[in-house]
Amino acid sequence: MKKQVFSGIQPTGNIHIGNYFGAMKHWAASQAEFSNIFCIVDLHAITVPQDPQVLKVKIREVAGLLFAAGINWQESAVFLQSQVSAHAELAWILNCFIPTGWMKRMTQFKEKSEKMKDEVSVGLFDYPALMAADILLYEADLVPVGEDQKQHVEFTRDIAQRFNSIYGKTLKVPEPLIPKVGARIMGLDDPSKKMSKSEGKSAHAVNLLDSPDIIRSKIGRATTDSLREIRFDKNRPGIYNLLVIYELFTGLARPDIERHFQGKGYADFKRELAEVVVEGLRPLQSRYHELTADPKYIDSLFIEGASKVRPTAERTLKKVKERVGLG
Ligand code: TYM
Protein backbone atom coordinates (compact mmCIF):
# COMPACT_ATOMS: atom_id res chain seq x y z
CA MET A 1 0.00 0.00 0.00
CA LYS A 2 1.37 3.40 -1.00
CA LYS A 3 1.33 6.13 1.62
CA GLN A 4 -1.38 8.74 1.16
CA VAL A 5 -0.14 12.28 0.49
CA PHE A 6 -2.31 15.38 0.73
CA SER A 7 -1.27 18.98 0.17
CA GLY A 8 -2.76 22.28 -0.89
CA ILE A 9 -1.98 25.64 -2.41
CA GLN A 10 -3.87 28.94 -2.33
CA PRO A 11 -4.92 30.45 -5.67
CA THR A 12 -3.93 33.96 -4.65
CA GLY A 13 -1.19 36.36 -5.71
CA ASN A 14 1.58 35.05 -7.94
CA ILE A 15 3.02 31.59 -7.46
CA HIS A 16 6.76 31.96 -6.88
CA ILE A 17 9.93 29.90 -6.69
CA GLY A 18 9.41 29.46 -2.92
CA ASN A 19 6.12 27.63 -3.60
CA TYR A 20 7.89 25.60 -6.26
CA PHE A 21 10.92 24.48 -4.24
CA GLY A 22 9.11 24.28 -0.90
CA ALA A 23 6.22 22.21 -2.22
CA MET A 24 5.24 21.77 -5.90
CA LYS A 25 8.51 20.26 -7.09
CA HIS A 26 8.33 17.57 -4.41
CA TRP A 27 4.69 16.84 -5.14
CA ALA A 28 5.58 16.16 -8.76
CA ALA A 29 8.73 14.18 -7.95
CA SER A 30 7.08 11.74 -5.55
CA GLN A 31 4.03 10.82 -7.63
CA ALA A 32 5.19 7.27 -8.31
CA GLU A 33 6.13 6.64 -4.68
CA PHE A 34 2.93 7.88 -3.04
CA SER A 35 -0.79 8.08 -3.67
CA ASN A 36 -1.34 11.82 -4.10
CA ILE A 37 -4.11 14.35 -3.66
CA PHE A 38 -3.46 18.03 -4.35
CA CYS A 39 -6.02 20.68 -3.59
CA ILE A 40 -6.40 24.24 -4.81
CA VAL A 41 -7.76 25.82 -1.68
CA ASP A 42 -10.17 28.48 -2.87
CA LEU A 43 -12.14 28.45 0.42
CA HIS A 44 -8.91 29.42 2.19
CA ALA A 45 -8.33 32.15 -0.39
CA ILE A 46 -11.52 34.00 0.58
CA THR A 47 -10.41 34.37 4.21
CA VAL A 48 -8.98 37.68 2.97
CA PRO A 49 -10.80 39.95 0.47
CA GLN A 50 -10.63 38.75 -3.16
CA ASP A 51 -11.91 40.16 -6.42
CA PRO A 52 -14.20 37.37 -7.76
CA GLN A 53 -13.05 37.76 -11.37
CA VAL A 54 -9.38 37.72 -10.41
CA LEU A 55 -9.90 34.71 -8.15
CA LYS A 56 -11.43 32.74 -11.03
CA VAL A 57 -8.43 33.51 -13.22
CA LYS A 58 -5.97 32.64 -10.45
CA ILE A 59 -7.62 29.26 -9.81
CA ARG A 60 -6.99 28.21 -13.41
CA GLU A 61 -3.51 29.70 -13.33
CA VAL A 62 -2.48 27.65 -10.29
CA ALA A 63 -3.90 24.49 -11.84
CA GLY A 64 -1.98 25.19 -15.06
CA LEU A 65 1.20 25.70 -13.04
CA LEU A 66 0.75 22.47 -11.10
CA PHE A 67 0.36 20.52 -14.32
CA ALA A 68 3.26 22.41 -15.95
CA ALA A 69 5.41 21.56 -12.92
CA GLY A 70 4.93 17.89 -13.75
CA ILE A 71 1.86 16.83 -11.80
CA ASN A 72 0.09 14.22 -13.85
CA TRP A 73 -3.68 14.44 -13.48
CA GLN A 74 -4.14 10.75 -14.18
CA GLU A 75 -1.61 9.64 -11.60
CA SER A 76 -2.56 12.23 -8.94
CA ALA A 77 -5.89 13.79 -8.04
CA VAL A 78 -5.98 17.58 -8.40
CA PHE A 79 -9.20 19.29 -7.37
CA LEU A 80 -10.82 22.50 -6.23
CA GLN A 81 -11.65 22.64 -2.52
CA SER A 82 -15.03 24.38 -2.91
CA GLN A 83 -16.24 21.58 -5.21
CA VAL A 84 -16.12 19.03 -2.35
CA SER A 85 -18.48 20.27 0.34
CA ALA A 86 -17.20 17.82 2.96
CA HIS A 87 -14.27 20.22 3.62
CA ALA A 88 -16.49 22.98 4.99
CA GLU A 89 -18.67 20.48 6.87
CA LEU A 90 -15.80 18.74 8.63
CA ALA A 91 -14.18 22.11 9.42
CA TRP A 92 -17.37 23.12 11.26
CA ILE A 93 -17.44 19.93 13.30
CA LEU A 94 -13.74 20.25 14.18
CA ASN A 95 -14.36 23.87 15.20
CA CYS A 96 -16.52 22.60 18.00
CA PHE A 97 -13.58 20.66 19.45
CA ILE A 98 -10.82 23.27 19.03
CA PRO A 99 -10.02 25.43 22.06
CA THR A 100 -9.74 29.10 21.00
CA GLY A 101 -6.41 29.20 22.85
CA TRP A 102 -4.93 26.83 20.25
CA MET A 103 -6.02 29.16 17.46
CA LYS A 104 -4.62 32.23 19.17
CA ARG A 105 -1.17 30.63 19.14
CA MET A 106 -1.05 30.29 15.34
CA THR A 107 1.81 32.50 14.16
CA GLN A 108 0.45 32.96 10.64
CA PHE A 109 -2.80 34.37 11.99
CA LYS A 110 -0.90 36.70 14.31
CA GLU A 111 1.23 38.00 11.44
CA LYS A 112 -1.66 38.47 9.02
CA SER A 113 -4.06 39.94 11.55
CA GLU A 114 -1.51 42.49 12.77
CA LYS A 115 -1.86 44.33 9.46
CA MET A 116 -5.67 44.06 9.30
CA LYS A 117 -6.55 44.69 12.95
CA ASP A 118 -10.32 44.39 13.63
CA GLU A 119 -11.11 44.01 9.92
CA VAL A 120 -9.67 40.51 10.06
CA SER A 121 -12.31 37.90 9.22
CA VAL A 122 -13.48 35.07 11.47
CA GLY A 123 -12.57 32.84 8.50
CA LEU A 124 -8.92 33.85 8.75
CA PHE A 125 -8.91 33.05 12.46
CA ASP A 126 -10.45 29.69 11.63
CA TYR A 127 -8.10 28.96 8.72
CA PRO A 128 -6.25 26.12 10.54
CA ALA A 129 -9.52 24.23 11.20
CA LEU A 130 -10.31 24.15 7.47
CA MET A 131 -6.75 23.08 6.73
CA ALA A 132 -7.06 20.28 9.31
CA ALA A 133 -10.32 19.18 7.65
CA ASP A 134 -8.58 19.11 4.24
CA ILE A 135 -5.90 16.77 5.49
CA LEU A 136 -8.00 14.55 7.78
CA LEU A 137 -10.74 13.86 5.21
CA TYR A 138 -8.30 11.84 3.09
CA GLU A 139 -6.58 9.96 5.93
CA ALA A 140 -3.29 11.47 4.79
CA ASP A 141 -0.09 9.92 6.09
CA LEU A 142 2.14 12.69 4.79
CA VAL A 143 1.68 16.40 4.15
CA PRO A 144 4.50 17.85 2.01
CA VAL A 145 4.76 21.58 2.74
CA GLY A 146 7.24 24.40 3.20
CA GLU A 147 8.36 25.29 6.70
CA ASP A 148 5.75 28.03 7.16
CA GLN A 149 2.96 25.41 7.17
CA LYS A 150 4.57 23.12 9.76
CA GLN A 151 2.66 24.66 12.67
CA HIS A 152 -0.64 24.11 10.83
CA VAL A 153 0.16 20.43 10.26
CA GLU A 154 1.10 20.06 13.93
CA PHE A 155 -2.21 21.67 14.82
CA THR A 156 -3.92 19.09 12.57
CA ARG A 157 -2.19 16.30 14.48
CA ASP A 158 -3.33 17.81 17.78
CA ILE A 159 -6.97 18.06 16.76
CA ALA A 160 -6.97 14.52 15.32
CA GLN A 161 -5.53 13.20 18.57
CA ARG A 162 -8.02 15.17 20.64
CA PHE A 163 -10.95 13.88 18.59
CA ASN A 164 -9.64 10.30 18.82
CA SER A 165 -9.18 10.58 22.57
CA ILE A 166 -12.84 11.60 22.97
CA TYR A 167 -14.48 9.24 20.43
CA GLY A 168 -11.97 6.42 19.90
CA LYS A 169 -9.68 6.01 16.89
CA THR A 170 -11.39 7.83 14.02
CA LEU A 171 -8.95 10.22 12.36
CA LYS A 172 -5.50 9.37 10.94
CA VAL A 173 -2.74 11.47 12.51
CA PRO A 174 -0.59 12.91 9.65
CA GLU A 175 3.11 13.81 9.50
CA PRO A 176 4.54 16.94 7.87
CA LEU A 177 7.13 16.34 5.13
CA ILE A 178 9.49 19.30 4.84
CA PRO A 179 12.34 19.51 2.30
CA LYS A 180 15.93 19.77 3.59
CA VAL A 181 16.78 22.63 1.21
CA GLY A 182 14.25 25.18 -0.05
CA ALA A 183 11.73 24.88 2.79
CA ARG A 184 11.94 28.61 3.41
CA ILE A 185 13.03 30.79 0.51
CA MET A 186 13.37 34.38 1.64
CA GLY A 187 12.29 37.62 -0.06
CA LEU A 188 14.80 39.07 -2.54
CA ASP A 189 14.20 42.61 -1.28
CA ASP A 190 14.30 41.64 2.39
CA PRO A 191 15.99 38.33 3.26
CA SER A 192 14.65 38.48 6.81
CA LYS A 193 11.12 37.84 5.47
CA LYS A 194 9.77 34.69 3.84
CA MET A 195 9.12 35.00 0.10
CA SER A 196 5.36 35.45 0.02
CA LYS A 197 2.56 35.65 -2.57
CA SER A 198 0.81 38.38 -0.64
CA GLU A 199 3.81 40.73 -0.45
CA GLY A 200 3.04 43.44 -3.00
CA LYS A 201 6.56 44.84 -3.55
CA SER A 202 7.77 44.36 -7.12
CA ALA A 203 11.27 43.01 -6.42
CA HIS A 204 10.22 40.70 -3.58
CA ALA A 205 9.68 37.35 -5.33
CA VAL A 206 10.62 35.58 -8.55
CA ASN A 207 7.27 34.39 -9.86
CA LEU A 208 7.06 31.24 -11.94
CA LEU A 209 5.53 33.18 -14.83
CA ASP A 210 7.93 36.16 -14.75
CA SER A 211 9.50 37.05 -18.11
CA PRO A 212 13.31 36.73 -18.52
CA ASP A 213 13.79 40.51 -18.30
CA ILE A 214 11.75 40.79 -15.11
CA ILE A 215 13.74 37.92 -13.56
CA ARG A 216 17.05 39.60 -14.48
CA SER A 217 15.92 42.91 -13.06
CA LYS A 218 14.60 41.40 -9.79
CA ILE A 219 17.76 39.37 -9.18
CA GLY A 220 19.93 42.33 -10.14
CA ARG A 221 18.23 44.40 -7.43
CA ALA A 222 18.25 41.66 -4.75
CA THR A 223 19.57 42.72 -1.34
CA THR A 224 23.05 41.43 -0.49
CA ASP A 225 25.63 42.95 1.86
CA SER A 226 28.80 45.00 1.76
CA LEU A 227 31.16 42.00 1.92
CA ARG A 228 32.67 40.28 -1.11
CA GLU A 229 32.99 36.58 -0.52
CA ILE A 230 30.37 34.29 -2.13
CA ARG A 231 29.88 31.64 0.55
CA PHE A 232 26.97 29.73 2.16
CA ASP A 233 26.95 31.66 5.41
CA LYS A 234 23.61 31.86 7.24
CA ASN A 235 24.78 35.01 8.99
CA ARG A 236 24.69 36.78 5.63
CA PRO A 237 21.03 36.11 4.78
CA GLY A 238 20.86 37.94 1.43
CA ILE A 239 23.74 36.19 -0.29
CA TYR A 240 22.87 32.90 1.47
CA ASN A 241 19.33 32.99 0.07
CA LEU A 242 20.59 33.70 -3.46
CA LEU A 243 23.09 30.84 -3.18
CA VAL A 244 20.32 28.49 -2.03
CA ILE A 245 18.29 29.50 -5.10
CA TYR A 246 21.35 28.81 -7.29
CA GLU A 247 21.80 25.43 -5.56
CA LEU A 248 18.14 24.49 -6.10
CA PHE A 249 18.14 25.42 -9.78
CA THR A 250 21.49 23.78 -10.62
CA GLY A 251 21.48 20.79 -8.27
CA LEU A 252 25.22 21.40 -7.65
CA ALA A 253 26.90 20.70 -4.31
CA ARG A 254 27.68 23.66 -2.05
CA PRO A 255 31.52 23.32 -2.14
CA ASP A 256 31.42 23.20 -5.94
CA ILE A 257 29.28 26.33 -6.07
CA GLU A 258 31.61 28.19 -3.71
CA ARG A 259 34.63 27.10 -5.76
CA HIS A 260 32.92 28.20 -8.95
CA PHE A 261 32.38 31.72 -7.63
CA GLN A 262 35.73 32.08 -5.87
CA GLY A 263 37.27 35.46 -6.72
CA LYS A 264 34.14 36.63 -8.56
CA GLY A 265 32.02 39.65 -7.53
CA TYR A 266 28.34 39.89 -6.61
CA ALA A 267 27.45 41.39 -10.00
CA ASP A 268 28.89 38.35 -11.84
CA PHE A 269 27.15 35.99 -9.44
CA LYS A 270 23.79 37.72 -9.87
CA ARG A 271 24.12 37.72 -13.66
CA GLU A 272 24.84 33.98 -13.68
CA LEU A 273 22.08 33.26 -11.17
CA ALA A 274 19.56 35.18 -13.29
CA GLU A 275 20.42 33.10 -16.38
CA VAL A 276 20.14 29.86 -14.41
CA VAL A 277 16.68 30.89 -13.17
CA VAL A 278 15.52 32.08 -16.62
CA GLU A 279 16.61 28.78 -18.21
CA GLY A 280 15.27 26.73 -15.28
CA LEU A 281 11.80 28.22 -15.61
CA ARG A 282 11.66 28.22 -19.41
CA PRO A 283 10.33 24.63 -19.89
CA LEU A 284 7.74 25.07 -17.13
CA GLN A 285 6.54 28.33 -18.68
CA SER A 286 6.17 26.87 -22.14
CA ARG A 287 4.27 23.83 -20.82
CA TYR A 288 2.05 26.24 -18.89
CA HIS A 289 1.16 28.22 -22.01
CA GLU A 290 0.31 25.05 -23.94
CA LEU A 291 -1.86 23.64 -21.16
CA THR A 292 -3.83 26.78 -20.51
CA ALA A 293 -4.54 27.67 -24.14
CA ASP A 294 -8.05 26.32 -23.57
CA PRO A 295 -9.37 27.26 -20.08
CA LYS A 296 -12.30 24.84 -20.45
CA TYR A 297 -9.80 22.01 -20.44
CA ILE A 298 -8.62 22.89 -16.91
CA ASP A 299 -12.26 23.18 -15.75
CA SER A 300 -12.96 19.67 -17.00
CA LEU A 301 -9.96 18.35 -15.07
CA PHE A 302 -11.35 19.92 -11.89
CA ILE A 303 -14.63 18.07 -12.30
CA GLU A 304 -12.75 14.82 -12.81
CA GLY A 305 -10.48 15.53 -9.81
CA ALA A 306 -13.39 16.27 -7.47
CA SER A 307 -15.23 13.12 -8.47
CA LYS A 308 -12.11 11.06 -7.76
CA VAL A 309 -11.69 12.35 -4.19
CA ARG A 310 -15.31 12.93 -3.12
CA PRO A 311 -16.09 9.32 -2.08
CA THR A 312 -13.15 9.23 0.38
CA ALA A 313 -14.02 12.64 1.80
CA GLU A 314 -17.67 11.65 2.28
CA ARG A 315 -16.73 8.37 3.92
CA THR A 316 -14.60 10.13 6.55
CA LEU A 317 -17.24 12.80 7.12
CA LYS A 318 -19.91 10.12 7.64
CA LYS A 319 -17.70 8.32 10.18
CA VAL A 320 -17.08 11.57 12.09
CA LYS A 321 -20.79 12.48 12.09
CA GLU A 322 -21.71 9.06 13.44
CA ARG A 323 -19.14 9.34 16.23
CA VAL A 324 -20.39 12.77 17.26
CA GLY A 325 -24.03 11.68 17.12
CA LEU A 326 -25.13 13.82 14.17
CA GLY A 327 -27.74 13.04 11.54
P1 TYM B 1 0.47 28.53 0.26
O1 TYM B 1 -0.47 28.65 -0.87
O2 TYM B 1 0.86 29.76 0.99
O3 TYM B 1 1.81 27.85 -0.23
C1 TYM B 1 1.84 26.65 -0.97
C2 TYM B 1 3.06 25.84 -0.55
O4 TYM B 1 4.26 26.61 -0.76
C3 TYM B 1 5.03 26.64 0.45
N1 TYM B 1 5.74 27.93 0.54
C4 TYM B 1 7.07 28.07 0.62
N2 TYM B 1 8.06 27.18 0.64
C5 TYM B 1 9.33 27.66 0.71
N3 TYM B 1 9.63 28.99 0.76
C6 TYM B 1 8.65 29.92 0.75
N4 TYM B 1 8.96 31.21 0.79
C7 TYM B 1 7.30 29.48 0.67
N5 TYM B 1 6.11 30.12 0.63
C8 TYM B 1 5.16 29.16 0.55
C9 TYM B 1 4.02 26.48 1.56
O5 TYM B 1 4.61 26.02 2.75
C10 TYM B 1 3.05 25.50 0.95
O6 TYM B 1 3.50 24.18 1.14
N6 TYM B 1 -2.21 26.85 4.10
C11 TYM B 1 -1.57 26.46 2.86
C12 TYM B 1 -2.53 25.78 1.90
C13 TYM B 1 -3.26 24.61 2.44
C14 TYM B 1 -2.73 23.34 2.73
C15 TYM B 1 -3.82 22.55 3.16
C16 TYM B 1 -1.45 22.80 2.67
C17 TYM B 1 -4.60 24.57 2.72
N7 TYM B 1 -4.94 23.32 3.14
C18 TYM B 1 -3.65 21.22 3.57
C19 TYM B 1 -1.29 21.46 3.06
C20 TYM B 1 -2.36 20.69 3.49
C21 TYM B 1 -1.02 27.68 2.18
O7 TYM B 1 -1.49 28.78 2.37
O8 TYM B 1 -0.05 27.42 1.28
Side-chain angles (χ1 to χ4, degrees):
M1 276 286 276
K2 285 183 178 177
K3 288 201 167 171
Q4 182 63 54
V5 157
F6 181 93
S7 202
I9 185 161
Q10 287 202 66
T12 49
N14 292 310
I15 307 295
H16 52 67
I17 56 172
N19 300 124
Y20 180 73
F21 286 112
M24 293 159 70
K25 179 175 182 244
H26 306 283
W27 301 354
S30 62
Q31 285 178 107
E33 186 182 353
F34 302 128
S35 164
N36 294 283
I37 302 179
F38 303 118
C39 182
I40 296 174
V41 295
D42 53 348
L43 294 174
H44 278 112
I46 61 163
T47 56
V48 294
Q50 300 292 342
D51 174 326
Q53 296 313 321
V54 175
L55 182 59
K56 281 208 166 102
V57 171
K58 288 286 166 189
I59 287 169
R60 292 200 185 109
E61 186 180 293
V62 176
L65 283 170
L66 291 180
F67 298 135
I71 288 166
N72 178 322
W73 53 93
Q74 273 140 356
E75 211 173 350
S76 301
V78 176
F79 74 105
L80 194 53
Q81 189 185 31
S82 63
Q83 291 183 348
V84 180
S85 58
H87 290 248
E89 274 188 76
L90 181 60
W92 178 259
I93 298 173
L94 295 179
N95 271 334
C96 302
F97 296 89
I98 298 168
T100 47
W102 288 13
M103 288 294 196
K104 285 184 192 152
R105 286 201 289 273
M106 295 291 114
T107 49
Q108 232 174 38
F109 174 75
K110 281 196 231 163
E111 281 163 22
K112 287 194 182 175
S113 60
E114 228 166 60
K115 292 183 204 148
M116 300 170 78
K117 301 263 177 325
D118 280 352
E119 282 305 303
V120 74
S121 73
V122 176
L124 190 68
F125 184 61
D126 200 34
Y127 186 111
L130 181 58
M131 184 157 158
D134 297 341
I135 297 167
L136 298 173
L137 278 175
Y138 302 98
E139 304 189 326
D141 299 293
L142 299 170
V143 185
V145 283
E147 204 174 81
D148 62 325
Q149 296 301 317
K150 189 169 174 221
Q151 192 187 32
H152 288 156
V153 181
E154 278 162 1
F155 171 93
T156 304
R157 290 171 56 83
D158 290 345
I159 181 63
Q161 277 158 350
R162 185 178 172 94
F163 192 94
N164 290 346
S165 73
I166 303 172
Y167 293 106
K169 194 163 176 358
T170 314
L171 299 167
K172 167 91 67 79
V173 181
E175 299 271 353
L177 194 61
I178 306 212
K180 286 199 183 76
V181 181
R184 192 174 178 83
I185 302 285
M186 309 308 279
L188 298 183
D189 57 334
D190 179 356
S192 70
K193 279 195 189 146
K194 179 194 77 164
M195 187 176 280
S196 156
K197 290 193 227 108
S198 51
E199 181 64 66
K201 296 196 196 94
S202 69
H204 170 74
V206 175
N207 302 321
L208 296 186
L209 293 175
D210 278 347
S211 70
D213 284 346
I214 299 273
I215 294 172
R216 289 184 189 112
S217 139
K218 285 180 175 175
I219 292 179
R221 282 184 289 157
T223 303
T224 50
D225 52 43
S226 54
L227 301 171
R228 281 192 57 83
E229 234 183 325
I230 300 172
R231 256 192 318 114
F232 282 89
D233 177 356
K234 285 192 178 156
N235 297 320
R236 292 161 57 200
I239 201 76
Y240 181 79
N241 189 43
L242 295 180
L243 279 166
V244 166
I245 296 172
Y246 187 89
E247 177 187 14
L248 289 163
F249 272 99
T250 60
L252 294 172
R254 291 188 175 190
D256 294 338
I257 296 173
E258 289 179 345
R259 215 169 302 124
H260 177 69
F261 287 111
Q262 212 164 21
K264 292 192 186 156
Y266 286 175
D268 287 334
F269 167 55
K270 283 179 165 181
R271 253 192 306 276
E272 201 174 314
L273 173 63
E275 291 320 306
V276 159
V277 174
V278 166
E279 290 314 316
L281 292 180
R282 203 186 288 282
L284 180 142
Q285 293 185 349
S286 69
R287 274 197 302 274
Y288 171 83
H289 293 300
E290 278 165 34
L291 285 161
T292 51
D294 175 11
K296 288 211 183 72
Y297 178 58
I298 299 269
D299 292 350
S300 73
L301 296 179
F302 280 147
I303 292 171
E304 198 182 307
S307 55
K308 265 199 226 168
V309 302
R310 200 175 281 115
T312 310
E314 286 181 352
R315 197 182 58 223
T316 307
L317 180 64
K318 186 161 177 273
K319 196 160 71 174
V320 167
K321 281 174 146 179
E322 269 162 16
R323 298 277 189 181
V324 177
L326 298 172

